Amino acid sequence: MTESSQDENIEVFTYSEIENIEGFIGNFDVTIRKKARSVDMAKCTGCGECVQKCPTKVPSEFDMGLGKRKAIYTPFAQAVPNVPVIDRDHCLKFLKDKCGVCQKVCPADAVDYTQKDEMVQRKVGAIIVATGFSLFDWTVYEEYGGGRYKDVITGLHLERMLDTSGPTEGKVIRPSDGREAKQIVFVQCVGSRDEAKGVPYCSRICCMYTAKQTILLKDHIPDSQSYVFYIDIRAAGKNYEEFVKKAQRESGTVYIRGRVSKIYDRGDKLIVQGADTLAGERVEIEADLVVLATAVVPNPDAVKLAQMLNMPYDQYGFYTEAHPKLQPVESVTAGVFLTGSCQFPKDIPDSVAMTGAASVRACAVFSQDELTIEPKIAWVDPEVCSGCFNCMEACPFDAIISEEYQGRYVARVRESVCHGCGNCAATCRTKAVNVKGFTDEEIYAQIEAPFFEEEVEVA
Amino acid sequence: MPEILNRGDIHAFKNEVLALIGQDASRCIQCGKCSSGCPIAYEMEHLPSQILRFIQLNMRDKALASNTIWLCAVCETCTVRCPESIDIAGIMDALRKICRREGVMPGDKKIAKFNEIFLNSIRGNGRVYELGLVMKYNMATAQPFKDALLGPVMFGKGKLKVAPDKVQDIAPVKAAFSKAKTFIAPKAKE
Amino acid sequence: MEIGYFPGCSLHSTAQEFDLSVKTVCDILGVRLMEIPDWNCCGASAAHETSEELGLALPYLDLVKAETANLETVLSPCPACFSHLAETHEKVVGDQTLGERLKSVTESRGYEGGVNNRHVLDYFMDDVGLGTIKEKVKTPLEGLKVACYYGCLTRLPGVNLDSVEHPEMMDKIVAALGAEAMDWTHKTECCGASLSITRTEIALRLGREILDAAQRAGADCVAVVCPLCQSNLDVRQAGINGKYKTAFSLPIVYLTQLMGVAFGAPKSQLGFDKHVVAPDVLKKY
């Protein structure tokens, strides 16, 4: 991140949102909202004095609420740029017009409470969507406590605890009483592979990060014991199976084949009610800490972005690639590429590979002066077009524009945007629109051919 | 001798259950959540998920002979937690019906006997006569002194009646008993 | 106001205190209960396990009888009865062929779908309302710690009362009476009552787990709304203590008994003499 932020050809917008995208491949107009940071990026030196002196503490989002951050903060130590932001929902200056300490202590005079959101425009030729994923809200599982037990956490919470520079400095503790956890139960497929309460698909990453976490746990706490309740171990990657075996053989992780039915507390232990379907027995484990592998789901606003980009998405909200096998990093919209888990759950190697592919595809757009487009696209005969623009409404890709032709306005298809779906042709009342290669005449000819076989002359 | 799975139609039993009660056991992904939460699983010969597996693999005799289907208390924990929304308790119920219809030796004779006596009590009186029910059951299962200590306690509290409670018009009840079919074909999904 | 009432077999025998306390409480609330004339047993699970149609025909007959007596709302305190009536109603209303078939099987005048089935929980919560309940409280049950036990009620077919896994209806009513509803772990666990006679050891084992959880939560008593839960946990409590060397002495009381006490009804009208584990903890109210 640091390297790319310093590259002269790369402009990084952090703490910013895409407001609007118009145009088409090679000619996108992007409106970006730079949210008010309340710190002048040009002046700030990143000394951190303001953060240190800020009196307001807020649960840290990055640390999953396990640690605190200040009201003026950088989300994590290596964040780029190293310029803090003021959280206006918690800052005393904004809430009660009090304090103002950060401004007083800033040696660079960079703190600016009056800063406003700023809109900036950029022209880009290609767009790579890498918006990532969210985690399934597991509290719908009332049988797992529905969020009432502090010591039932998610894999991401544990990930933060295992980080030596994280909120617990690498200690794995029970959030309820701060005691070190010794008996740890991992529950796989929480939300995943559950058509009733969650999503039907497999989230793909949980088996491996869970195996990793059990290995790390054994390293951090040698007298700890991990149990993993699983349905199937999905370790289909290079060295993945071996890695799971390492967890089982070297770290002593016990895998129990069965989905957990209920978690409840008894004294200071959590009772995990499960079964081992291989042994044919119902089992219970008295746990100090329960770690849920929650499903990977699309971001809550994924659909909004898809609509901005005229880009299809699936029933869950994951972005749809142009072809599942042959065009895995292209979206249907020309010039828009996909990478990472915004398309479907992906682990790090897959995401990295996909990002390389998407970047190269984007470069390919720029490497030529002219674009090759699909031959089967729509065309409007301006002589026939009555200018009703019904086709414009029908087009799912925003490919039709209004254009002056001999003193009146008619529809025109932007060739680089059209996908040849034919909606416009079907909608047009004057038959002014046709898809090249699928004109009405051509279709009629095809229908007639089998019925008048003897009359067909072979040229 | 290992069971040869493909001697008959491997889908036969699954299709039979599907046709009888509209529950498709082949949807089961064998996650085991039903077994994990079953309060009676300790006492069962087979876990509920294994019964589902027997249906998937056309092991009809094995499923019908298991005491699991009789021990099921129909508490529905499995059904409400099933990630595939399979009515597992309903399937157990259907398997009991098949056993009754075909005269299969029940995997738990006492429970089957009790339910039979219970039903006879309704057939005769239109209502359940609890004292008579327990006495008949104890005689039928040759354990006359079972819960003998509880009888006086409950009597003392006036909780058991000496004579059965009866409905006046027993005819419709009798009609229902004589005419009712074991299974009603499930409605086709719209 | 007058509504229909379906006591079912248990409330006429082992659960007379439920019957009595429902009537007492309804009386205080100004609700007159009219028993379905000549009602018959809902068939419980035994009918259903033998014949699907019989399992529907018996509650169908009760719905017919209720409708014939012009009872628009029918209160069924027993969860099994309630579930069977509600489920049969749902199925018949949604399937005309089934309705015709059941009409012919029972040789009755047929059910038109005019009965509104209620359990005590939704009746008190939604129809009566917490506000009215609070108004009627004369002796708040202050200091009483209650573990509300729902058993399989929320999971039963045709029942759509509350959160399946973590119901709170009874807790809210208990809180409205001034008592403290404990958050505990075994609210919806199965008590094994259906195996109580045939496989007593299972019922004892499950009962022990429930009582243990209630005791851990610090409850003074367990509130129930099911005759089978009550008798299984109350009458079998001595058996549990004998088998597991425990010393439980937890009164298992009906929600309506607690309501009655809070409403200031005479205890003699609430059937406390029927309990095996004496509910002494309620004496001070």
Side-chain angles (χ1 to χ4, degrees), chain A residues 224-253:
Chain A
S224 71
Q225 175 64 53
S226 296
Y227 300 88
V228 181
F229 281 95
Y230 72 100
I231 305 174
D232 298 292
I233 302 176
R234 299 204 161 154
K238 185 170 178 176
N239 286 324
Y240 283 18
E241 178 69 16
E242 296 91 318
F243 190 76
V244 172
K245 283 200 181 116
K246 178 178 147 81
Q248 293 170 333
R249 292 174 183 172
E250 291 172 31
S251 302
T253 306

Side-chain angles (χ1 to χ4, degrees), chain B residues 4 9 45 63 90 98 104 109 123 144 159 161 164 166 172 183:
Chain B
I4 296 169
D9 173 11
E45 275 166 17
I98 296 175
V104 176
K109 292 182 201 72
R123 192 201 303 260
K159 284 198 162 201
K161 289 186 177 173
K166 287 186 179 180
F183 288 99

Side-chain angles (χ1 to χ4, degrees), chain A residues 138-149 197 262-263, chain C residues 163-166:
Chain A
W138 69 272
T139 57
V140 300
Y141 284 88
E142 286 282 2
E143 62 267 47
Y144 295 169
R148 291 188 301 279
Y149 302 126
K197 286 187 181 140
K262 180 173 172 170
I263 301 165
Chain C
S163 156
V164 171
E165 298 284 354
H166 197 246

Side-chain angles (χ1 to χ4, degrees), chain B residues 3-79:
Chain B
E3 194 139 352
I4 296 169
L5 280 180
N6 63 346
R7 282 267 166 91
D9 173 11
I10 188 119
H11 302 297
F13 194 29
K14 182 260 290 179
N15 287 335
E16 182 185 349
V17 173
L18 181 63
L20 289 177
I21 56 157
Q23 292 296 319
D24 186 357
S26 68
R27 287 179 62 87
C28 170
I29 60 167
Q30 287 293 316
C31 74
K33 198 172 185 181
C34 50
S35 304
S36 297
C38 177
I40 325 279
Y42 304 101
E43 301 284 341
M44 290 173 169
E45 275 166 17
H46 303 101
L47 295 174
S49 54
Q50 289 176 303
I51 299 292
L52 272 280
R53 192 74 186 135
F54 292 156
I55 300 174
Q56 292 177 331
L57 295 179
N58 199 30
M59 298 180 171
R60 192 175 191 273
D61 296 345
K62 212 158 174 138
L64 294 182
S66 177
N67 76 358
T68 300
I69 63 176
W70 294 96
L71 280 167
C72 168
V74 205
C75 78
E76 310 259 348
T77 304
C78 50
T79 298

Side-chain angles (χ1 to χ4, degrees), chain B residues 144-174:
Chain B
F145 299 111
K146 182 177 183 299
D147 285 331
L149 291 172
L150 285 182
V153 174
M154 297 194 59
F155 251 127
K157 300 282 174 189
K159 284 198 162 201
L160 292 173
K161 289 186 177 173
V162 197
D165 215 11
K166 287 186 179 180
V167 298
Q168 280 153 9
D169 183 12
I170 194 78
V173 174
K174 293 239 189 267

Side-chain angles (χ1 to χ4, degrees), chain C residues 139-161:
Chain C
T139 322
L141 304 178
E142 270 164 32
L144 186 70
K145 293 177 174 171
V146 184
C148 294
Y149 175 60
Y150 299 76
C152 59
L153 164 66
T154 56
R155 290 186 296 265
L156 294 180
V159 175
N160 192 10
L161 290 177

